[in-house]
Amino acid sequence: MLTVGDKLPAFSLKAVYDTSIPEPDFKTLASSSDELAGKWLVLFYWPKDFTFVCPTEIVAFDDLADGFKDRDAVVLGASTDTDFVHRAWRESHEDLQKVTIPWLADNKKELASALGILDKEEGVALRATFLVDPDGIIRHVSVNDLSVGRNPKEVMRILDALQTDELCPCNWQQGDEVLKPAA
């Protein structure tokens, strides 16, 4: 599995953006796109569409999307399902209909494989979260078991800490004092 300090692999994947329009809004999103250039990236994978824990996480990340945007970060969700499955799930699940963040369709499992986050038994992505700096370097990774959801507020807290470029103690929150090494 890739870890802190590794370069995020280049990708070019179909993405579902907006399900409120009658025609499918599928676009190809590449890691080299203007949409991502010079920004932090919050990339989170879930195991499968049409499941139970995943919508709770997707909605929670989407609820914080403006806060991430204020921090010059783009949030991208992803699973190993197709773009058509993504769209169908978004259209059929009431909570997901309002979601605005793009969902990557990694149905060939190329990016998930390159990241090293495929579950060995199920062949689907683990609940993995990557914080990637504007230079494409992974600065934070967390991976949960398939059955346990993550906390997007903690991801935002970690992003805040990383963006200080300072020493941040346990439970540090934006606006708290950072640690200063003794001279």
Side-chain angles (χ1 to χ4, degrees):
M1 184 172 76
L2 294 185
T3 191
V4 172
D6 290 335
K7 184 93 170 155
L8 182 73
F11 65 85
S12 180
L13 298 169
K14 289 280 189 193
V16 177
Y17 282 78
D18 186 357
T19 56
S20 66
I21 58 175
E23 293 299 315
D25 188 21
F26 303 137
K27 298 176 186 170
T28 298
L29 182 60
S31 51
S32 61
S33 72
D34 290 342
E35 187 174 342
L36 303 179
K39 300 199 181 307
W40 285 80
L41 177 61
V42 179
L43 174 62
F44 73 101
Y45 266 83
W46 60 88
K48 305 181 212 183
D49 292 4
F50 292 96
T51 57
F52 305 101
V53 176
C54 302
T56 65
E57 296 180 307
I58 295 165
V59 169
F61 272 106
D62 192 68
D63 287 346
L64 296 175
D66 287 340
F68 282 114
K69 185 177 180 181
D70 291 345
R71 290 159 173 83
D72 211 23
V74 175
V75 179
L76 296 177
S79 82
T80 55
D81 289 295
T82 70
D83 46 351
F84 288 99
V85 173
H86 281 342
R87 181 167 171 96
W89 192 30
R90 285 174 79 146
E91 289 175 337
S92 67
H93 193 292
E94 184 178 349
D95 292 341
L96 298 176
Q97 291 172 3
K98 65 177 182 161
V99 170
T100 61
I101 58 174
W103 296 7
L104 299 176
D106 189 13
N107 50 293
K108 290 183 182 177
K109 302 180 182 180
E110 294 169 332
L111 183 55
S113 292
L115 293 167
I117 59 167
L118 289 177
D119 181 81
K120 293 174 185 162
E121 298 296 318
E122 296 290 325
V124 297
L126 295 166
R127 292 185 194 287
T129 308
F130 295 86
L131 290 177
V132 182
D133 72 18
D135 295 321
I137 305 301
I138 298 169
R139 301 287 302 277
H140 168 80
V141 177
S142 65
V143 181
N144 293 13
D145 191 76
L146 296 176
S147 63
V148 178
R150 68 205 112 186
N151 182 344
K153 288 181 182 176
E154 173 64 2
V155 174
M156 184 174 281
R157 185 195 74 80
I158 293 169
L159 176 63
D160 287 339
L162 288 169
Q163 289 181 338
T164 69
D165 206 26
E166 298 284 345
L167 298 173
C168 297
C170 175
N171 297 321
W172 179 92
Q173 297 289 321
Q174 189 176 43
D176 289 354
E177 292 292 318
V178 295
L179 299 174
K180 299 292 180 191

